[in-house]
Amino acid sequence: MKIIKLDEVSSTNNYLKENYQSLDTNQIVTTSFQTKGKGRITRSWESNKTENILLSIIVKDLKERSNFETITLFTGCIVHKFLSKYLNNHLIKWPNDILVNNKKICGILVEGISYSNSLKALIIGIGININQISFSEEINNLTTSLKKELNKNFNIDE
């Protein structure tokens, strides 16, 4: 599986949507910074440069209509398991968040690419707060990161 690493992009989901025809299924794109990171219901995703995991995966060749809610929850389970290496007090908040002590540490955004009533691809976006300790005033008390929880820096590439 090839991973595309970008320094900066509007959003990893947008990148895959714009380039999906030339990409293989299960292609992953990561970035150090998103200029227009996004969440559900037109919300934005806030992230400082080089401090967090920002990635999207494209899934093509779908055999049947995919249930976005199931895929979002499945992705949440995978991220929950990943975070279990570091935390034991986190939980999945339906439909697309992972919380630690009622504060958001991860967001998941699943989007589809459709033409002529046919689903061509799914894009699964994942943002995990790793080393960021300060957020905008409006979300600072609602958000956390591994660094805030464990008081140490993490290597994003690892």
Side-chain angles (χ1 to χ4, degrees):
M1 180 181 328
K2 183 180 168 192
I3 298 175
I4 299 170
K5 293 183 178 186
L6 304 172
D7 289 329
E8 184 175 304
V9 68
S10 65
S11 84
T12 54
N13 274 27
N14 284 349
Y15 178 88
L16 290 178
K17 279 198 265 186
E18 293 163 4
N19 296 286
Y20 91 95
Q21 290 179 319
S22 64
L23 299 171
D24 295 329
T25 192
N26 300 325
Q27 184 79 57
I28 296 173
V29 63
T30 67
T31 189
S32 297
F33 184 66
Q34 296 182 127
T35 59
K36 294 180 181 176
K38 58 185 178 175
R40 285 182 64 240
I41 316 170
T42 68
R43 293 186 181 118
S44 64
W45 181 263
E46 183 179 313
S47 180
N48 291 344
K49 191 169 190 165
T50 72
E51 292 187 346
N52 300 308
I53 293 174
L54 306 167
L55 67 87
S56 295
I57 305 162
I58 189 164
V59 180
K60 295 172 142 184
D61 304 323
L62 303 162
K63 300 298 179 213
E64 53 189 67
R65 186 92 176 133
S66 297
N67 183 322
F68 285 38
E69 292 172 347
T70 302
I71 291 168
T72 301
L73 185 57
F74 179 72
T75 303
C77 290
I78 293 168
V79 175
H80 185 276
K81 185 175 181 178
F82 164 75
L83 289 172
S84 293
K85 295 177 185 179
Y86 308 98
L87 303 165
N88 59 14
N89 58 339
H90 59 299
L91 57 90
I92 299 171
K93 178 185 169 238
W94 180 260
N96 67 324
D97 295 334
I98 308 258
L99 304 181
V100 177
N101 298 319
N102 291 318
K103 294 182 178 185
K104 188 171 184 173
I105 194 166
C106 171
I108 298 162
L109 179 63
V110 177
E111 297 181 288
I113 300 173
S114 298
Y115 291 108
S116 303
N117 290 332
S118 175
L119 185 63
K120 301 297 183 190
L122 279 177
I123 297 172
I124 304 166
I126 303 168
I128 307 173
N129 298 329
I130 303 294
N131 291 319
Q132 188 166 338
I133 57 171
S134 62
F135 298 87
S136 67
E137 187 176 321
E138 61 194 37
I139 66 166
N140 196 49
N141 292 328
L142 305 171
T143 309
T144 192
S145 66
L146 280 181
K147 184 174 181 174
K148 282 175 93 170
E149 295 299 317
L150 302 174
N151 201 30
K152 68 178 197 175
N153 279 317
F154 294 86
N155 182 322
I156 300 295
D157 289 332
E158 290 177 8

